[in-house]
């Protein structure tokens, strides 16, 4: 399974998710919960502990890499995100079809998801840089073939942020899951492929004021 890392940028540091930051996450999630209409975010300490423990269990299986997001401007943990649904295409094809294959050294494809931020960190560039750090790890270190990003079709803000990255809309899966508001959710699926990453990276550099480094 891939080695866990801390990812540092100008605005944020993505740190390995752990039970040590539960209280910080509870405080972040309690700021203004009206911003989570389409995002399922743990509420209260008990839910947050369960949330972190479930993420760590998947991490132990090599299926996810969860992070706490630390906003360097305030030195506070302001949310969480993860590289998830890690698939490993090395080695023999798993049998029977649909069975999970053996975990390899690095994933072949991954999703970015379970991202949420405190109300005070939204719209500040924290989300964009967090995505950039994870995309850089996935494409440049792991050399994945594809990153998938998903959003409730009604979540205009999240979809706009994903589209601003330059991600391709693959389509909408109808009745894909139970939504955060307990309705049946349609989900928009986006992807970025490895040969698209250089253009996406340059676009993100420009948006983050790093054009000279592109």
């Amino acid at each position: 399974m891939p080695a866990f890392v801390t990812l540092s940028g100008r605005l944020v540091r993505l740190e390995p998710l752990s039970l040590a930051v539960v209280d910080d996450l509870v405080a972040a999630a309690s700021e203004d919960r009206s911003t989570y209409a389409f995002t399922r975010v743990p509420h209260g300490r008990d839910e947050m502990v369960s949330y972190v423990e479930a993420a760590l269990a998947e991490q132990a299986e090599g299926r996810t890499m969860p992070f706490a997001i630390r906003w360097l401007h305030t030195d506070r943990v302001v949310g969480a995100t993860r590289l998830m649904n890690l698939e490993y295409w090395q080695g023999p094809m798993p049998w029977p079809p649909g069975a999970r294959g053996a975990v390899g050294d690095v994933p072949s494809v991954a999703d970015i998801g379970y991202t949420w931020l405190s109300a005070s960190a939204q719209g500040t560039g924290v989300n964009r840089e967090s995505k950039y750090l994870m995309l850089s790890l996935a494409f440049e270190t792991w050399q994945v073939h594809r990153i998938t990003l998903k959003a409730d079709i009604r979540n205009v803000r999240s979809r706009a942020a994903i589209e601003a990255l330059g991600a391709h809309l693959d389509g909408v899966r109808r009745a894909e899951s139970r939504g955060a508001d307990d309705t049946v959710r349609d989900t928009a699926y986006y992807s970025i492929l490895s040969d698209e990453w250089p253009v996406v990276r340059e676009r993100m550099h420009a948006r983050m004021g790093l054009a000279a480094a592109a």
Side-chain angles (χ1 to χ4, degrees), residues 4-203:
F4 212 100
V5 293
T6 296
L7 305 175
S8 297
R10 296 191 306 170
L11 297 178
V12 303
R13 184 167 63 243
L14 302 186
E15 304 172 350
L17 186 67
S18 73
L19 290 169
V21 297
V22 162
D23 290 335
D24 294 331
L25 291 170
V26 171
S30 301
E31 284 188 6
D32 180 2
R33 294 193 60 84
S34 68
T35 63
Y36 304 139
F38 303 115
T39 305
R40 195 177 299 277
V41 177
H43 188 33
R45 197 175 195 282
D46 289 345
E47 284 190 12
M48 195 65 72
V49 168
S50 296
Y51 166 86
V52 173
E53 288 179 340
L56 295 180
E58 287 196 9
Q59 175 193 331
E61 295 179 350
R63 304 298 173 184
T64 192
M65 183 173 282
F67 296 98
I69 303 172
R70 184 174 297 278
W71 192 9
L72 299 179
H73 173 66
T74 61
D75 196 31
R76 293 187 297 113
V77 170
V78 293
T81 188
R82 66 186 74 172
L83 284 152
M84 53 187 278
N85 295 334
L86 306 183
E87 294 184 20
Y88 303 83
W89 294 354
Q90 310 94 327
M93 192 75 72
W95 188 263
R100 286 185 170 183
V103 172
D105 292 331
V106 291
S108 303
V109 296
D111 292 9
I112 291 177
Y114 279 105
T115 303
W116 62 269
L117 292 171
S118 65
S120 60
Q122 295 172 22
T124 63
V126 166
N127 179 57
R128 184 185 302 124
E129 188 172 84
S130 297
K131 293 288 194 298
Y132 173 75
L133 292 171
M134 289 186 289
L135 288 167
S136 297
L137 172 68
F139 284 119
E140 297 173 14
T141 300
W142 295 348
Q143 298 186 336
V144 299
H145 303 293
R146 182 193 75 241
I147 287 291
T148 297
L149 303 104
K150 298 179 285 189
D152 188 313
I153 196 172
R154 302 166 297 173
N155 195 338
V156 176
R157 183 171 181 171
S158 288
R159 293 188 64 186
I162 293 171
E163 290 167 5
L165 300 176
H168 175 77
L169 176 62
D170 293 328
V172 175
R173 180 175 292 179
R174 297 176 297 167
E176 188 266 344
S177 66
R178 179 180 177 180
D181 58 353
D182 287 328
T183 62
V184 177
R185 160 179 154 164
D186 295 341
T187 299
Y189 279 70
Y190 295 85
S191 65
I192 301 171
L193 303 183
S194 57
D195 61 358
E196 297 166 346
W197 168 238
V199 173
V200 171
R201 179 179 56 202
E202 183 175 353
R203 182 173 182 169

